[in-house]
């Protein structure tokens, strides 16, 4: 793991430390990709993490006077999926953000982090490229602006310099003549990497396409434009024949690989299929797709993570001071582990379980500053001055939470290993939506896996708890 961890409260301080350590350092926001890279031994030269989650103002989504939408580097996938501005003015991006991981992952992972990881299968790059997004990159030497389509050099490679950080993502808001759609194909409905994804944006006047952007993910070393298809659509009505031809041209643009998740031939075929679906949806004027108007986010955004009076905190030199279940804790020499390990090994709160250690199973779900997160993907030093709740902390005056009562009554507890994570997701759901629909319950627990396949009883327990 890493050896030094800095919590900072200003961009200037972050850039100063980043410039000092260069290739040895990484900026931390969500850390969901970064932790897994450490676990897999892919970050052997990274010694320093610089946590920017305490910098106020970086988690805002705004519309400026020139009708550009701005996303700060701390804006998460759930922030985007739930944003009315993004839903109305950049729908494909909201759809893509909603398709990422699980509620817990979407509460941690940032849009900026998704872009910087530079995987061609990352979902939000595709719509942002179709939206003609630009990145503002800062270093102590100054600032530069890079178009997103010029940002990538190959698989997990970009033009970002070792002393630079992304401080802004911006793109033109869609106007009333522009309609967009994002579609993802994966092996399952949640917690899945894209086999193929597509973003389509058409500017239409008097039923004729004036301009089209079609971007494709997971079918080349970087996200690509289907340029022939884009040019073909200009000046035409979106008839069935036109849509079929454009879909074939989009297929031609791809150079997919075969891997354990799918063959190149299958990916090529599905590019045509989902491009056709996207264009048909636009032609019918019904692009909302699977995105709920008020999506479940499993979060309470009432408090911003604070760093008290300090402008910088180094967990190498100072204690990690935190509150877990309203109890004060101080930890020493614990900066080079995950929050899950800190909770279990150092706080001795073993109700939170380790199932996969890579954010797949949800057994380690806890609340961090009001948000449900996967503790296995959070650096331990993020706990400094934070408020954390584990399964042990949801009791009131020693009495079980009502969700726990109904899990027992409905027989939703089987082997029991996954139960703490399910209960935590359910508790946060009922805080957010006291009377959720069954679909909202399913969305809330989509990041939690039950190896005993007992989902019906779990859903029933949450439903009955919500009606009490």
């Amino acid at each position: 793991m890493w050896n030094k961890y800095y919590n900072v409260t200003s961009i200037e301080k972050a850039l100063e430390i980043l410039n000092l350590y260069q290739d040895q350092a990484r900026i931390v926001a969500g850390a969901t990709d970064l932790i897994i890279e450490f676990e897999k031994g892919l970050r052997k030269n990274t010694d320093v993490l610089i946590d920017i989650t305490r910098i106020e103002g970086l988690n805002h989504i705004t519309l400026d006077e020139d009708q550009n939408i701005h996303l700060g580097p701390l804006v998460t996938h759930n922030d985007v999926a739930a944003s009315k501005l993004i839903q109305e003015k950049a729908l494909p991006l909201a759809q893509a953000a909603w398709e990422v991981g699980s509620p817990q992952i979407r509460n941690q992972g940032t849009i900026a982090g998704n872009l910087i990881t530079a995987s061609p299968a990352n979902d939000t790059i595709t719509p942002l490229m179709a939206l003609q997004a630009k990145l503002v990159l800062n270093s102590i030497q100054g600032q530069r602006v890079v178009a997103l389509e010029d940002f990538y050099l190959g698989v997990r490679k970009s033009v970002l310099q070792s002393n630079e950080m992304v401080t802004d993502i911006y793109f033109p808001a869609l106007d009333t003549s522009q309609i967009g759609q994002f579609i993802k194909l994966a092996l399952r409905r949640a917690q899945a990497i894209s086999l193929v994804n597509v973003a389509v944006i058409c500017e239409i006047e008097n039923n004729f396409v004036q301009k089209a952007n079609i971007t494709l993910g997971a079918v080349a070393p970087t996200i690509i434009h289907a340029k022939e298809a884009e040019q073909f659509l200009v000046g035409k009505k979106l008839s069935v024949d036109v849509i079929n031809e454009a879909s074939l041209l989009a297929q031609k643009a791809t150079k997919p690989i075969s891997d354990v998740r799918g063959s190149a031939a299958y990916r090529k075929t599905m590019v045509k299929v989902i491009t056709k679906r996207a264009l048909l949806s636009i032609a019918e004027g019904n692009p909302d797709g699977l995105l709920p108007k008020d999506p479940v986010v499993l979060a309470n955004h009432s408090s911003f993570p604070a760093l008290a009076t300090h402008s910088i905190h180094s967990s190498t030199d100072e204690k990690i001071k935190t509150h877990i279940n309203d109890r004060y804790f101080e930890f020493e020499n614990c900066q080079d582990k995950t929050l899950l390990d800190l909770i279990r090994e150092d706080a001795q709160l073993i109700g939170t379980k380790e199932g996969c250690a890579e954010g797949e199973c949800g057994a380690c779900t806890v609340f961090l500053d009001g948000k449900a997160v996967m503790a296995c993907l959070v650096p331990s030093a993020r706990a400094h001055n934070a408020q954390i709740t584990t399964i042990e902390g949801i009791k009131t005056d020693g009495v079980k939470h009502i969700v726990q009562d109904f899990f027992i009554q409905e027989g939703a507890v089987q082997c029991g290993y996954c139960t703490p994570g399910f209960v935590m997701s359910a508790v946060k759901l009922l805080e957010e939506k006291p009377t959720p629909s069954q679909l909202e319950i399913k969305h809330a627990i989509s990041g939690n896996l039950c190896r005993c396949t007992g989902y019906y009883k779990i859903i029933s327990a949450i439903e009955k708890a919500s009606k009490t």
Side-chain angles (χ1 to χ4, degrees), residues 89-109:
K89 300 289 187 179
L91 179 62
L93 179 58
Q95 292 171 325
W98 177 245
E99 294 279 3
V100 170
S102 64
Q104 298 95 317
I105 297 294
R106 294 194 292 271
N107 276 335
Q108 289 175 254

Side-chain angles (χ1 to χ4, degrees), residues 56 69 78 87 95 99 102 106 117 125 128 131 170 177 186 215 219 257 270 300 308 390 402 404 409 419:
E56 292 203 53
I69 295 174
N78 265 346
Q87 289 179 13
Q95 292 171 325
E99 294 279 3
S102 64
R106 294 194 292 271
T117 299
I125 303 174
L128 280 168
L131 287 161
Y170 70 94
S177 68
T215 49
V219 291
I257 61 169
M270 294 313 296
N300 173 4
T390 70
I402 191 171
Q404 292 173 302
Q409 290 179 30
T419 302

Side-chain angles (χ1 to χ4, degrees), residues 225-296:
H225 276 271
K227 293 183 179 179
E228 284 190 60
E230 293 172 341
Q231 294 166 2
F232 171 78
L233 287 171
V234 175
K236 296 180 176 67
K237 290 184 178 181
L238 289 179
S239 66
V240 172
D241 288 342
V242 167
I243 288 172
N244 285 338
E245 182 61 26
S247 301
L248 283 168
L249 291 172
Q251 182 185 46
K252 275 182 58 180
T254 65
K255 296 179 181 178
I257 61 169
S258 294
D259 60 18
V260 294
R261 294 180 297 114
S263 67
Y266 178 68
R267 284 186 165 96
K268 264 190 171 292
T269 298
M270 294 313 296
V271 165
K272 180 180 66 175
V273 172
I274 66 172
T275 302
K276 181 178 178 179
R277 288 177 186 169
L279 287 168
L280 284 171
S281 178
I282 290 171
E284 293 165 0
N286 184 31
D288 288 350
L290 299 175
L291 176 68
K293 292 296 184 185
D294 185 20
V296 171

Side-chain angles (χ1 to χ4, degrees), residues 294-358:
D294 185 20
V296 171
V297 295
L298 298 188
N300 173 4
H301 297 278
S302 60
S303 61
F304 189 83
L307 198 57
T309 58
H310 300 292
S311 62
I312 185 171
H313 171 266
S314 169
S315 59
T316 306
D317 307 316
E318 304 174 59
K319 295 177 181 178
I320 297 174
K321 301 176 181 181
T322 190
H323 283 83
I324 306 176
N325 302 330
D326 294 326
R327 286 177 55 203
Y328 179 73
F329 288 84
E330 290 187 359
F331 302 108
E332 292 185 276
N333 303 316
C334 297
Q335 84 281 354
D336 59 343
K337 58 174 63 177
T338 66
L339 178 60
L340 174 59
D341 291 335
L342 185 79
I343 289 169
R344 289 182 57 84
E345 297 171 3
D346 300 283
Q348 291 292 296
L349 296 167
I350 59 174
T352 305
K353 305 303 182 187
E354 178 177 324
C356 65
E358 54 183 29

Side-chain angles (χ1 to χ4, degrees), residues 121-306:
N122 280 3
D123 296 320
T124 59
I125 303 174
T126 311
L128 280 168
M129 195 172 290
L131 287 161
Q132 299 177 304
K134 294 182 179 179
L135 308 181
V136 178
L137 310 180
N138 274 59
S139 70
I140 64 168
Q141 281 79 36
Q143 183 182 96
R144 63 182 177 131
V145 178
V146 177
L148 187 60
E149 61 184 18
D150 298 327
F151 184 67
Y152 299 104
L153 301 175
V155 177
R156 296 183 179 270
K157 295 179 181 178
S158 74
V159 301
L160 186 71
Q161 300 298 308
S162 59
N163 67 340
E164 288 181 318
M165 67 175 281
V166 174
T167 55
D168 187 23
I169 303 163
Y170 70 94
F171 51 88
L174 298 181
D175 62 30
T176 54
S177 68
Q178 295 171 299
I179 306 175
Q181 175 78 67
F182 172 86
I183 295 179
K184 170 179 177 173
L185 175 71
L187 296 180
R188 50 182 176 166
R189 292 290 295 276
Q191 290 281 60
I193 300 171
S194 283
L195 277 170
V196 181
N197 63 57
V198 61
V200 180
I201 297 174
C202 291
E203 181 180 330
I204 300 174
E205 292 182 11
N206 299 320
N207 295 322
F208 288 91
V209 177
Q210 305 300 310
K211 184 180 179 182
N213 283 335
I214 302 175
T215 49
L216 305 169
V219 291
T222 62
I223 307 299
I224 60 171
H225 276 271
K227 293 183 179 179
E228 284 190 60
E230 293 172 341
Q231 294 166 2
F232 171 78
L233 287 171
V234 175
K236 296 180 176 67
K237 290 184 178 181
L238 289 179
S239 66
V240 172
D241 288 342
V242 167
I243 288 172
N244 285 338
E245 182 61 26
S247 301
L248 283 168
L249 291 172
Q251 182 185 46
K252 275 182 58 180
T254 65
K255 296 179 181 178
I257 61 169
S258 294
D259 60 18
V260 294
R261 294 180 297 114
S263 67
Y266 178 68
R267 284 186 165 96
K268 264 190 171 292
T269 298
M270 294 313 296
V271 165
K272 180 180 66 175
V273 172
I274 66 172
T275 302
K276 181 178 178 179
R277 288 177 186 169
L279 287 168
L280 284 171
S281 178
I282 290 171
E284 293 165 0
N286 184 31
D288 288 350
L290 299 175
L291 176 68
K293 292 296 184 185
D294 185 20
V296 171
V297 295
L298 298 188
N300 173 4
H301 297 278
S302 60
S303 61
F304 189 83

